[in-house]
Amino acid sequence: MIRTKLALATATLLATVYAQAEESVAIAPPGPIEEVVVLGKFIPDEKRTTSEISNVLDEEALGLLADSSVGDALSRVTGLSLVGGKYVYVRGLGERYSSTLLDGSRISSPVPFQKTVPLDIVPKSIVRNLLVQKTFSGQYPGDFSGGVVDIRTRTTPEQNYLDLSFSIGGNSETTGGDGLKYSGGDDDNWGFDDGTRHIPENIAKLSSENFEDIGFPDDRALGASFFNNWDVREFEIKPDFAGDAEAGLRIDLDNGMSLGVLAAGKYDNSYRQIDTQFARYNFTGSAVNQLVDYEEETTRQTVTMSGFVNLGLEINNDNSLTLTHVLLRQSDDEIEQQRGQSSEFGFSFVPVENIRLQWTENEIRSTALKGEHFFNIGDTVNGALLQWRYVDGSGLRESPDTRTYTYFVENGEERVSDSFTQLDAKNIFIAPERQYQKLNDEIEEYGFDIELPFIIGDADVVIKAGFSDYERSRESEDRLFRFDLDNSAPDFVGLQTPRQLFSLDNWGAGYLDVDDFSGRAADASDIFPFAESSEETTGYYVALDAQVTPRIRIQAGLRQEDTDLQADAFGGNTEAGTVNEVSESYDDSLPSGSVTFEFVNDMQLRFAYSETVNRPSLLEITGSTIRNPENAQLYRGNVFLQPAELTNYDVRWEWYFGEADSISIGAFKKEFEDPIELGKIEAENEIFTWFNAEEADLDGIEIELRKDLFFDRWFGWGQDWDYFTLSANLSLIDSEVVLFGPGETAGDVPITGNRGLDSVFQNERELTGQSDILGNLILSYSNYDLGIEGSLAYNYTGERIAVVGAVNAPDVIEEARGKLDLLLKYMFIMWDTELELEFKLQNITDEEVEWTQGGRNYETYRPGVSYSLGLKMSL
């Protein structure tokens, strides 16, 4: 139905606007064309012309970075950092405090519990530019606290072209070395599971309750129907490979219209081998006991595929339509092996081996129909602009057949761990398990924005207004099967390898047992396998942007948002729409304003103020417990959770000098009321929940410089030395969150259930994920006469809290780290074809990634130096 509505809307609009354009062309009177000459100084920097405090990475800047994904590229922007290789933190604020848009519209997310978009899935090849706006304005969603990242895609081409590119590469810690693998499917190298990992059909037809009702010996037949593909083996890791194709077609029609088509696709297949020193501790007062000491080996194959199509119709100079379709896919096949010593079996350290096999497919799709129309209203309004949009999108996360198991040494023999061996452990797998998880996220949005320019006295005034209606729905399911040895199994069965253990002989002999743990966990522990949630937000805004004098510009706006959240979790004996169903409604009025004062030519001051909100997300408001499929951690929602309210202050001084040079110094402050934090529930199992802290503050200073370097003009070194550019930025950030008010303790915080919030390590600390220092230094070179481009880019990220501590356990700290990248390009012509060679070196210094807890090693590894050589052909 959505596609039908989209097609009907497209056809109707095309027909209507086409008729208007034909009529306009028919009555246009002939006459001479007056020549107009415009003189001015061109500053290629959008941050100067906007009324807000922002940064822009354009296509040229992106092309001079060795980064391959949008996430990596954004870490070069002042005040931004990349966490976990996927999520962008704006000014030290986590992913929940920032919004990611695609061409100004929301996009779906495959991330559990959050609306956050993993930016490692978005390739640079589809991007025209990246806007990072750090101050709020009314046209953007109100859950804007740290900032908004707007990914602007490529537009209708001006000429026909075809670009093809290929690259091969590797990593110093990975390529040519030994990695781990298991028996997968035939389509793994394309990023699709061919059904090998699907639940067997005879089991998929059964509910959890029906499965548990089946008795011996039929239940053994069900267990035997799973693929026996548990074993891990070594292999030699292959080089990385990537291929891109992009084509543009422009057709100028006889009636004055132009039709443009832009299509792009990318395939990338890469491996990474990570060897980690892994440790965990138990902190009890002044004593520290080490629980585990592992050598962790992880082999990950990542297959990324993306497709992008843009169809644009330029009806005339005043009217255009655009239909855009984006499909992004990323599949990870990960094998993790931990070997070492563990004390979690209730006695002294024993040798342990943990194995985890996990296949994950992430997909984001967005289809958008948009229109742009300029028009006049009488003699008063000239150049009014109407922009409208309809967006349909989806996100998918599917992780079928995640297998986990543990072997430990007992009496000198390796034995499989089962439920009778260990019932409460955090860093071993209790028993062999197979888990099947799926998440579907659907969004639909429509809206419009209108701009009406006026001249009032000597002031240029633009009145802006807009409307949007946004709906998101999400469904997730989690099915868990646990395998145990039957009491009748001889002792030797537990000593067998996984393939021997799960053989048909053992199933036939009744030595093995399997339980569908999903329904049982729901009934016994309130851990529910099924969840549904939805969000609907209706937004309106009105804003005024006025150049009141040649040197003073004022912007003011007000956005109204009405939001409805619904969430439910069910399974086992709990039906959908019963005890766990929760709904909340929020009504927010969000003002914003800014003043830009150009007190001398090319030098200006900006001041900005805004109020924003950070609402609970999706399942955070339900009182049920759900397992996070990304890390198997348990999370319980909180029915008492309230939105966090933020007050934001910004000031920035900017100086634009030279031909394209600039320097800026800014300061910002954010005050939080009821910030949403994560804490641990008092329970035997580690269950986390969200709660409202007392208050928080975030302050920072940002410095940014861009300077062309003319070594020939300055020192006479030769003309080819005049093409260097230095870009640098530095952010100094400080924050403090106060978890409990005066006289309060963790037990006073309202949370769901009959247990309280566990004690915390400290009541006042920095915000999670906030680095005290962020910096970038980029030296780039662009000489089109020689056909040479390149850059040397250094990124520094200061220490930050990775995991919040609890009770006596200190916070886990990700230590400061630097990263140096090199990019070289050489463009030349051969066989009447434009060619480009590209060489990349990433993470040249290969500094350790180090997490510590109380000064002790938590996790440490070296990511290795990555390299690639590519060839691009322009036909």
Side-chain angles (χ1 to χ4, degrees), residues 144-352:
F144 174 120
S145 304
V148 64
V149 176
D150 192 358
I151 304 169
R152 298 165 171 176
T153 58
R154 310 284 292 276
T155 55
T156 305
E158 294 297 325
Q159 60 184 9
N160 301 339
Y161 69 94
L162 172 63
D163 291 341
L164 302 174
S165 62
F166 310 90
S167 67
I168 188 169
N171 178 272
S172 61
E173 296 285 328
T174 303
T175 310
D178 291 333
L180 303 174
K181 70 179 303 183
Y182 63 95
S183 297
D186 293 336
D187 298 331
D188 286 2
N189 285 329
W190 292 103
F192 293 90
D193 177 57
D194 63 357
T196 300
R197 301 173 179 86
H198 288 181
I199 297 180
E201 290 187 11
N202 57 331
I203 297 176
K205 296 176 182 178
L206 301 173
S207 67
S208 297
E209 294 73 29
N210 292 337
F211 185 97
E212 290 295 285
D213 289 339
I214 296 176
F216 182 84
D218 292 338
D219 59 342
R220 275 29 176 204
L222 291 175
S225 62
F226 288 92
F227 278 110
N228 188 0
N229 51 1
W230 297 78
D231 281 0
V232 174
R233 63 183 185 274
E234 289 189 347
F235 79 112
E236 183 178 334
I237 300 179
K238 304 173 185 177
D240 302 338
F241 172 80
D244 289 81
E246 182 180 324
L249 176 65
R250 183 180 181 90
I251 303 173
D252 294 320
L253 305 175
D254 293 338
N255 59 7
M257 295 185 181
S258 295
L259 179 66
V261 180
L262 176 64
K266 180 176 182 177
Y267 170 84
D268 186 288
N269 189 342
S270 63
Y271 290 87
R272 287 299 175 266
Q273 176 78 10
I274 302 294
D275 297 322
T276 304
Q277 299 289 328
F278 181 101
R280 294 294 184 268
Y281 308 92
N282 183 27
F283 294 84
T284 56
S286 59
V288 180
N289 300 312
Q290 187 166 352
L291 298 176
V292 298
D293 184 12
Y294 292 153
E295 296 279 345
E296 181 181 276
E297 181 180 354
T298 304
T299 303
R300 181 186 300 113
Q301 181 187 11
T302 301
V303 177
T304 303
M305 299 179 69
S306 62
F308 171 75
V309 177
N310 178 286
L311 177 64
L313 178 64
E314 296 177 2
I315 301 167
N316 52 36
N317 290 334
D318 296 331
N319 297 280
S320 63
L321 297 175
T322 303
L323 180 64
T324 304
H325 181 78
V326 179
L327 180 64
L328 308 172
R329 282 187 57 87
Q330 186 179 81
S331 300
D332 289 320
D333 194 8
E334 187 169 284
I335 303 94
E336 180 184 273
Q337 179 187 68
Q338 294 176 327
R339 287 178 172 174
Q341 303 287 322
S342 173
S343 63
E344 292 192 302
F345 285 87
F347 38 87
S348 59
F349 274 101
V350 297
V352 166

Side-chain angles (χ1 to χ4, degrees), residues 329-380:
R329 282 187 57 87
Q330 186 179 81
S331 300
D332 289 320
D333 194 8
E334 187 169 284
I335 303 94
E336 180 184 273
Q337 179 187 68
Q338 294 176 327
R339 287 178 172 174
Q341 303 287 322
S342 173
S343 63
E344 292 192 302
F345 285 87
F347 38 87
S348 59
F349 274 101
V350 297
V352 166
E353 180 183 37
N354 298 325
I355 298 293
R356 178 176 60 86
L357 315 175
Q358 183 165 351
W359 170 275
T360 305
E361 295 180 30
N362 286 313
E363 180 180 294
I364 297 175
R365 178 192 60 81
S366 178
T367 304
L369 175 65
K370 300 185 177 183
E372 184 175 88
H373 311 283
F374 290 91
F375 59 95
N376 299 328
I377 302 177
D379 297 329
T380 307

Side-chain angles (χ1 to χ4, degrees), residues 554-629:
I554 296 176
Q555 183 275 137
L558 178 66
R559 183 177 181 89
Q560 174 68 35
E561 286 193 345
D562 301 319
T563 301
D564 295 317
L565 289 181
Q566 287 187 318
D568 192 14
F570 51 93
N573 295 325
T574 303
E575 298 292 333
T578 56
V579 294
N580 289 328
E581 187 176 38
V582 179
S583 61
E584 293 284 353
S585 296
Y586 308 106
D587 182 352
D588 300 293
S589 298
L590 306 171
S592 62
S594 67
V595 176
T596 304
F597 175 35
E598 187 178 19
F599 53 94
V600 297
N601 290 340
D602 300 326
M603 191 178 294
Q604 58 191 24
L605 274 173
R606 296 182 188 272
F607 304 90
Y609 170 87
S610 64
E611 296 176 13
T612 54
V613 66
N614 181 241
R615 305 183 190 97
S617 175
L618 303 171
L619 295 173
E620 292 177 357
I621 61 170
T622 180
S624 55
T625 303
I626 299 172
R627 192 184 311 273
N628 186 339

Side-chain angles (χ1 to χ4, degrees), residues 662-732:
S662 65
I663 185 171
S664 64
I665 301 175
F668 61 88
K669 182 179 181 61
K670 295 179 181 292
E671 298 174 347
F672 298 71
E673 182 179 343
D674 298 326
I676 298 175
E677 288 290 310
L678 196 64
K680 184 176 177 293
I681 296 175
E682 286 183 320
E684 293 182 0
N685 294 321
E686 284 204 342
I687 302 177
F688 290 87
T689 190
W690 296 271
F691 70 97
N692 289 111
E694 180 72 10
E695 61 182 12
D697 290 286
L698 179 75
D699 306 277
I701 296 174
E702 296 175 335
I703 304 171
E704 187 174 352
L705 168 71
R706 184 195 185 279
K707 181 72 181 77
D708 288 334
L709 304 178
F710 301 106
F711 292 115
D712 181 46
R713 298 185 194 177
W714 299 338
F715 308 110
W717 291 0
Q719 185 178 353
D720 294 334
W721 286 88
D722 272 353
Y723 299 99
F724 285 95
T725 299
L726 178 68
S727 300
N729 59 65
L730 176 68
S731 300
L732 306 175

Side-chain angles (χ1 to χ4, degrees), residues 425-437:
K426 303 179 181 67
N427 301 289
I428 61 172
F429 301 114
I430 296 174
E433 293 180 341
R434 305 182 86 134
Q435 194 166 17
Y436 300 82
Q437 301 161 320

Side-chain angles (χ1 to χ4, degrees), residues 24 88 179 210 248 361 416 437 517 571 642 659 680 693 705 727 736 763 769:
S24 174
V88 167
N210 292 337
E361 295 180 30
V416 69
Q437 301 161 320
F517 215 66
Q642 295 298 315
E659 297 177 4
K680 184 176 177 293
L705 168 71
S727 300
E736 182 182 70
N763 187 43

